[in-house]
Amino acid sequence: MPESVLNPAPIVRALQAAFARGASRRELLDLAARRMRAAGPPYTSVYLYMVHGNDLVLEASDGRETEHRRIPVGKGLCGQAVAERRDINVPDVGAAPGYLACNLETQSELVVLIRRNDEILGQIDVDSDVPAGFSAAEEAAAREVADALAVLL
Ligand code: SME
């Protein structure tokens, strides 16, 4: 697989080290958001939405502010991913049915679920100002971070 912009291994190590010294859930989510965004384009903004009943609640983010702090399961790309139990990689948000816009700059979006066995704990949602920002390699790299969070949260 071609190389990804996101290098997940150091992020996973940082999450494990933070967990080992007793970091809170909030600190782990903040760390993941900050370190993923630090990869630079296509990682424009990173949002950690976690499942609370029938809603997704924004628990951490890095990048642009969003007004979408709570999204019902089934709504938007974020809610669709949970309802359909699948990751979603949208190359052109303008053409995506149900897309909830946070700003006019976002061109593409990647949603990767945080799953522990059959349970969906939440998701990493990445907005990109780059059209078709996320290759399959990028998707796989983001999934490694999500899988680490699934174990540590
Ligand atoms: N675009 C998302 C909403 C969340 S913001 O991108 C942070 C969606 O369609 O669900």
Side-chain angles (χ1 to χ4, degrees), residues 45-47 49 56 58 61 64-69 71-72 75-81 93 96-103 106 108-109 111 123 125-127:
S45 300
V46 180
Y47 307 93
Y49 285 101
L56 285 163
L58 185 65
S61 66
R64 290 195 188 100
E65 286 287 314
T66 176
E67 68 192 42
H68 300 121
R69 304 197 64 84
I71 300 174
K75 296 278 177 204
L77 301 176
C78 294
Q80 274 173 34
V93 293
Y99 170 67
L100 288 175
C102 295
N103 55 72
T106 300
S108 59
E109 182 163 348
V111 181
Q123 64 185 223
D125 170 35
V126 191
D127 278 6

Short mmCIF file of all heavy atoms in Angstrom, two decimals, residues 45-47 49 56 58 61 64-69 71-72 75-81 93 96-103 106 108-109 111 123 125-127, ligand 1:
data_model
loop_
_atom_site.label_atom_id
_atom_site.label_comp_id
_atom_site.label_asym_id
_atom_site.label_seq_id
_atom_site.Cartn_x
_atom_site.Cartn_y
_atom_site.Cartn_z
N SER A 45 -9.23 19.33 9.90
CA SER A 45 -9.87 19.38 11.23
C SER A 45 -10.24 17.96 11.64
O SER A 45 -10.70 17.17 10.80
CB SER A 45 -11.14 20.22 11.22
OG SER A 45 -10.85 21.56 10.83
N VAL A 46 -10.04 17.66 12.91
CA VAL A 46 -10.31 16.30 13.41
C VAL A 46 -11.29 16.39 14.58
O VAL A 46 -11.07 17.17 15.52
CB VAL A 46 -9.00 15.62 13.87
CG1 VAL A 46 -9.29 14.21 14.39
CG2 VAL A 46 -7.99 15.57 12.72
N TYR A 47 -12.37 15.62 14.50
CA TYR A 47 -13.43 15.64 15.50
C TYR A 47 -13.63 14.23 16.05
O TYR A 47 -13.70 13.27 15.28
CB TYR A 47 -14.75 16.11 14.88
CG TYR A 47 -14.63 17.43 14.15
CD1 TYR A 47 -14.35 17.46 12.77
CD2 TYR A 47 -14.76 18.64 14.82
CE1 TYR A 47 -14.21 18.66 12.10
CE2 TYR A 47 -14.63 19.85 14.16
CZ TYR A 47 -14.35 19.85 12.79
OH TYR A 47 -14.21 21.05 12.13
N TYR A 49 -16.33 12.20 17.82
CA TYR A 49 -17.73 12.10 18.23
C TYR A 49 -17.92 10.74 18.89
O TYR A 49 -17.59 9.71 18.29
CB TYR A 49 -18.66 12.19 17.02
CG TYR A 49 -18.81 13.57 16.44
CD1 TYR A 49 -18.11 13.94 15.30
CD2 TYR A 49 -19.68 14.49 17.01
CE1 TYR A 49 -18.26 15.21 14.74
CE2 TYR A 49 -19.85 15.75 16.46
CZ TYR A 49 -19.14 16.10 15.33
OH TYR A 49 -19.30 17.35 14.79
N LEU A 56 -24.54 11.23 18.77
CA LEU A 56 -23.08 11.35 18.77
C LEU A 56 -22.76 12.69 19.41
O LEU A 56 -23.32 13.71 19.01
CB LEU A 56 -22.57 11.35 17.32
CG LEU A 56 -22.58 9.99 16.64
CD1 LEU A 56 -22.46 10.17 15.14
CD2 LEU A 56 -21.44 9.16 17.16
N LEU A 58 -19.81 15.48 20.50
CA LEU A 58 -18.44 15.91 20.24
C LEU A 58 -17.69 16.01 21.58
O LEU A 58 -18.00 16.85 22.40
CB LEU A 58 -18.46 17.28 19.55
CG LEU A 58 -17.10 17.82 19.11
CD1 LEU A 58 -16.49 16.94 18.02
CD2 LEU A 58 -17.23 19.25 18.60
N SER A 61 -11.80 17.87 19.77
CA SER A 61 -11.56 18.25 18.37
C SER A 61 -10.30 19.09 18.28
O SER A 61 -9.83 19.63 19.28
CB SER A 61 -12.75 19.03 17.80
OG SER A 61 -12.89 20.27 18.44
N ARG A 64 -10.99 23.62 12.98
CA ARG A 64 -12.10 24.58 12.98
C ARG A 64 -13.18 24.19 13.97
O ARG A 64 -13.47 23.02 14.15
CB ARG A 64 -12.74 24.66 11.59
CG ARG A 64 -11.85 25.32 10.57
CD ARG A 64 -12.68 25.71 9.33
NE ARG A 64 -11.77 26.18 8.31
CZ ARG A 64 -11.36 25.44 7.29
NH1 ARG A 64 -11.81 24.21 7.13
NH2 ARG A 64 -10.50 25.92 6.43
N GLU A 65 -13.77 25.20 14.55
CA GLU A 65 -14.94 25.00 15.42
C GLU A 65 -16.09 24.45 14.58
O GLU A 65 -16.19 24.74 13.39
CB GLU A 65 -15.38 26.35 15.99
CG GLU A 65 -14.46 26.89 17.07
CD GLU A 65 -14.62 26.12 18.38
OE1 GLU A 65 -15.77 25.88 18.79
OE2 GLU A 65 -13.58 25.77 18.97
N THR A 66 -16.97 23.69 15.23
CA THR A 66 -18.18 23.25 14.55
C THR A 66 -19.39 23.52 15.44
O THR A 66 -19.29 23.42 16.66
CB THR A 66 -18.14 21.75 14.18
OG1 THR A 66 -19.40 21.40 13.60
CG2 THR A 66 -17.87 20.87 15.38
N GLU A 67 -20.49 23.84 14.80
CA GLU A 67 -21.73 24.03 15.57
C GLU A 67 -22.38 22.68 15.85
O GLU A 67 -23.28 22.57 16.66
CB GLU A 67 -22.70 24.93 14.80
CG GLU A 67 -23.25 24.28 13.55
CD GLU A 67 -23.98 25.26 12.63
OE1 GLU A 67 -23.45 26.38 12.47
OE2 GLU A 67 -25.03 24.89 12.10
N HIS A 68 -21.91 21.63 15.18
CA HIS A 68 -22.53 20.30 15.35
C HIS A 68 -21.89 19.58 16.53
O HIS A 68 -20.99 18.76 16.36
CB HIS A 68 -22.37 19.47 14.08
CG HIS A 68 -23.00 20.09 12.88
ND1 HIS A 68 -22.31 20.42 11.73
CD2 HIS A 68 -24.28 20.48 12.66
CE1 HIS A 68 -23.13 20.98 10.87
NE2 HIS A 68 -24.33 21.03 11.40
N ARG A 69 -22.39 19.89 17.71
CA ARG A 69 -21.81 19.28 18.92
C ARG A 69 -22.55 17.99 19.28
O ARG A 69 -22.05 17.17 20.02
CB ARG A 69 -21.85 20.25 20.10
CG ARG A 69 -21.13 21.58 19.77
CD ARG A 69 -20.81 22.36 21.02
NE ARG A 69 -19.86 21.63 21.85
CZ ARG A 69 -18.54 21.65 21.68
NH1 ARG A 69 -18.00 22.36 20.72
NH2 ARG A 69 -17.76 20.95 22.48
N ILE A 71 -25.06 15.05 17.25
CA ILE A 71 -25.64 14.63 15.97
C ILE A 71 -26.42 13.34 16.21
O ILE A 71 -25.85 12.36 16.71
CB ILE A 71 -24.53 14.37 14.91
CG1 ILE A 71 -23.71 15.65 14.67
CG2 ILE A 71 -25.13 13.86 13.61
CD1 ILE A 71 -22.50 15.45 13.75
N PRO A 72 -27.71 13.31 15.87
CA PRO A 72 -28.47 12.06 16.05
C PRO A 72 -27.93 10.96 15.14
O PRO A 72 -27.55 11.24 13.99
CB PRO A 72 -29.90 12.45 15.64
CG PRO A 72 -29.94 13.94 15.66
CD PRO A 72 -28.54 14.41 15.37
N LYS A 75 -28.20 10.85 11.16
CA LYS A 75 -28.12 12.17 10.50
C LYS A 75 -26.69 12.47 10.06
O LYS A 75 -25.74 12.13 10.76
CB LYS A 75 -28.54 13.28 11.47
CG LYS A 75 -29.97 13.21 11.92
CD LYS A 75 -30.89 13.82 10.89
CE LYS A 75 -32.33 13.67 11.35
NZ LYS A 75 -33.30 13.70 10.29
N GLY A 76 -26.57 13.15 8.94
CA GLY A 76 -25.26 13.56 8.45
C GLY A 76 -24.40 12.35 8.11
O GLY A 76 -24.82 11.19 8.31
N LEU A 77 -23.23 12.60 7.62
CA LEU A 77 -22.31 11.49 7.30
C LEU A 77 -21.89 10.79 8.58
O LEU A 77 -21.75 9.56 8.61
CB LEU A 77 -21.08 12.03 6.56
CG LEU A 77 -21.40 12.77 5.25
CD1 LEU A 77 -20.12 13.35 4.66
CD2 LEU A 77 -22.09 11.84 4.26
N CYS A 78 -21.73 11.58 9.65
CA CYS A 78 -21.31 11.01 10.94
C CYS A 78 -22.36 10.03 11.45
O CYS A 78 -22.05 8.91 11.86
CB CYS A 78 -21.10 12.12 11.95
SG CYS A 78 -19.71 13.18 11.53
N GLY A 79 -23.61 10.47 11.43
CA GLY A 79 -24.69 9.62 11.92
C GLY A 79 -24.94 8.43 11.01
O GLY A 79 -25.30 7.34 11.49
N GLN A 80 -24.75 8.62 9.72
CA GLN A 80 -24.92 7.51 8.76
C GLN A 80 -23.92 6.40 9.03
O GLN A 80 -24.24 5.21 8.97
CB GLN A 80 -24.68 8.00 7.33
CG GLN A 80 -25.88 8.61 6.63
CD GLN A 80 -25.47 9.22 5.27
OE1 GLN A 80 -24.58 8.71 4.60
NE2 GLN A 80 -26.11 10.32 4.93
N ALA A 81 -22.68 6.80 9.31
CA ALA A 81 -21.63 5.80 9.52
C ALA A 81 -22.00 4.87 10.68
O ALA A 81 -21.83 3.65 10.59
CB ALA A 81 -20.30 6.50 9.81
N VAL A 93 -17.85 16.28 -0.67
CA VAL A 93 -18.98 16.43 0.25
C VAL A 93 -20.18 17.12 -0.41
O VAL A 93 -21.32 16.88 -0.04
CB VAL A 93 -18.58 17.18 1.55
CG1 VAL A 93 -17.62 16.36 2.39
CG2 VAL A 93 -18.02 18.56 1.26
N ALA A 96 -22.59 14.58 -1.61
CA ALA A 96 -22.98 13.51 -0.68
C ALA A 96 -24.35 13.79 -0.07
O ALA A 96 -24.52 14.80 0.62
CB ALA A 96 -21.94 13.37 0.43
N PRO A 97 -25.33 12.91 -0.30
CA PRO A 97 -26.65 13.12 0.29
C PRO A 97 -26.54 13.11 1.81
O PRO A 97 -25.83 12.29 2.38
CB PRO A 97 -27.46 11.91 -0.19
CG PRO A 97 -26.66 11.24 -1.25
CD PRO A 97 -25.24 11.65 -1.06
N GLY A 98 -27.23 14.05 2.44
CA GLY A 98 -27.27 14.07 3.91
C GLY A 98 -26.12 14.77 4.58
O GLY A 98 -26.09 14.89 5.79
N TYR A 99 -25.13 15.23 3.79
CA TYR A 99 -23.97 15.91 4.38
C TYR A 99 -24.40 17.10 5.21
O TYR A 99 -25.20 17.93 4.77
CB TYR A 99 -23.02 16.34 3.25
CG TYR A 99 -21.90 17.26 3.70
CD1 TYR A 99 -20.91 16.79 4.55
CD2 TYR A 99 -21.85 18.59 3.29
CE1 TYR A 99 -19.88 17.64 4.96
CE2 TYR A 99 -20.82 19.44 3.69
CZ TYR A 99 -19.85 18.95 4.54
OH TYR A 99 -18.83 19.78 4.94
N LEU A 100 -23.84 17.20 6.43
CA LEU A 100 -24.08 18.36 7.29
C LEU A 100 -22.85 19.26 7.20
O LEU A 100 -21.78 18.86 7.66
CB LEU A 100 -24.22 17.93 8.75
CG LEU A 100 -25.48 17.19 9.20
CD1 LEU A 100 -25.32 16.76 10.66
CD2 LEU A 100 -26.70 18.09 9.05
N ALA A 101 -23.02 20.43 6.64
CA ALA A 101 -21.86 21.32 6.45
C ALA A 101 -21.54 22.07 7.75
O ALA A 101 -22.43 22.50 8.47
CB ALA A 101 -22.15 22.31 5.34
N CYS A 102 -20.24 22.19 8.03
CA CYS A 102 -19.78 23.01 9.16
C CYS A 102 -19.23 24.32 8.64
O CYS A 102 -19.14 25.30 9.37
CB CYS A 102 -18.63 22.33 9.88
SG CYS A 102 -19.09 20.81 10.65
N ASN A 103 -18.76 24.32 7.43
CA ASN A 103 -18.12 25.51 6.84
C ASN A 103 -18.10 25.30 5.33
O ASN A 103 -18.43 24.22 4.83
CB ASN A 103 -16.69 25.66 7.39
CG ASN A 103 -15.89 24.41 7.16
OD1 ASN A 103 -15.50 24.10 6.03
ND2 ASN A 103 -15.65 23.64 8.21
N THR A 106 -14.66 22.95 3.54
CA THR A 106 -14.47 21.50 3.53
C THR A 106 -14.86 20.91 2.16
O THR A 106 -15.93 21.19 1.65
CB THR A 106 -15.30 20.84 4.65
OG1 THR A 106 -14.87 21.37 5.89
CG2 THR A 106 -15.13 19.33 4.65
N SER A 108 -13.75 17.32 1.40
CA SER A 108 -13.88 15.87 1.53
C SER A 108 -13.88 15.51 3.02
O SER A 108 -13.49 16.33 3.86
CB SER A 108 -12.77 15.15 0.78
OG SER A 108 -11.49 15.52 1.26
N GLU A 109 -14.34 14.31 3.31
CA GLU A 109 -14.49 13.93 4.72
C GLU A 109 -14.30 12.42 4.88
O GLU A 109 -14.73 11.64 4.03
CB GLU A 109 -15.90 14.33 5.19
CG GLU A 109 -16.18 14.04 6.65
CD GLU A 109 -17.40 14.81 7.19
OE1 GLU A 109 -17.88 15.74 6.50
OE2 GLU A 109 -17.85 14.46 8.29
N VAL A 111 -14.84 9.36 7.81
CA VAL A 111 -15.38 8.94 9.10
C VAL A 111 -14.94 7.50 9.36
O VAL A 111 -15.25 6.60 8.57
CB VAL A 111 -16.92 9.02 9.13
CG1 VAL A 111 -17.45 8.60 10.51
CG2 VAL A 111 -17.41 10.42 8.78
N GLN A 123 -16.46 7.70 16.87
CA GLN A 123 -15.82 7.81 15.55
C GLN A 123 -14.79 8.94 15.52
O GLN A 123 -14.87 9.89 16.30
CB GLN A 123 -16.86 8.06 14.49
CG GLN A 123 -17.56 9.38 14.67
CD GLN A 123 -18.69 9.60 13.68
OE1 GLN A 123 -18.82 10.69 13.15
NE2 GLN A 123 -19.51 8.59 13.44
N ASP A 125 -13.79 11.72 12.95
CA ASP A 125 -14.33 12.39 11.76
C ASP A 125 -13.30 13.42 11.31
O ASP A 125 -12.95 14.30 12.09
CB ASP A 125 -15.65 13.08 12.15
CG ASP A 125 -16.18 13.99 11.06
OD1 ASP A 125 -16.01 13.66 9.88
OD2 ASP A 125 -16.77 15.04 11.41
N VAL A 126 -12.80 13.27 10.10
CA VAL A 126 -11.79 14.21 9.61
C VAL A 126 -12.35 14.99 8.44
O VAL A 126 -12.85 14.42 7.47
CB VAL A 126 -10.50 13.48 9.15
CG1 VAL A 126 -9.40 14.51 8.92
CG2 VAL A 126 -10.06 12.43 10.14
N ASP A 127 -12.28 16.31 8.54
CA ASP A 127 -12.67 17.20 7.43
C ASP A 127 -11.41 17.62 6.71
O ASP A 127 -10.38 17.88 7.35
CB ASP A 127 -13.33 18.46 7.98
CG ASP A 127 -14.80 18.25 8.31
OD1 ASP A 127 -15.28 17.12 8.22
OD2 ASP A 127 -15.45 19.26 8.66
N1 SME B 1 -19.97 16.85 8.18
C1 SME B 1 -20.49 16.05 9.27
C2 SME B 1 -20.90 16.91 10.44
C3 SME B 1 -19.83 17.10 11.43
S1 SME B 1 -18.70 18.28 11.01
O1 SME B 1 -18.02 17.91 9.77
C4 SME B 1 -17.59 18.49 12.19
C5 SME B 1 -21.65 15.20 8.81
O2 SME B 1 -22.07 15.31 7.65
O3 SME B 1 -22.14 14.42 9.61
#
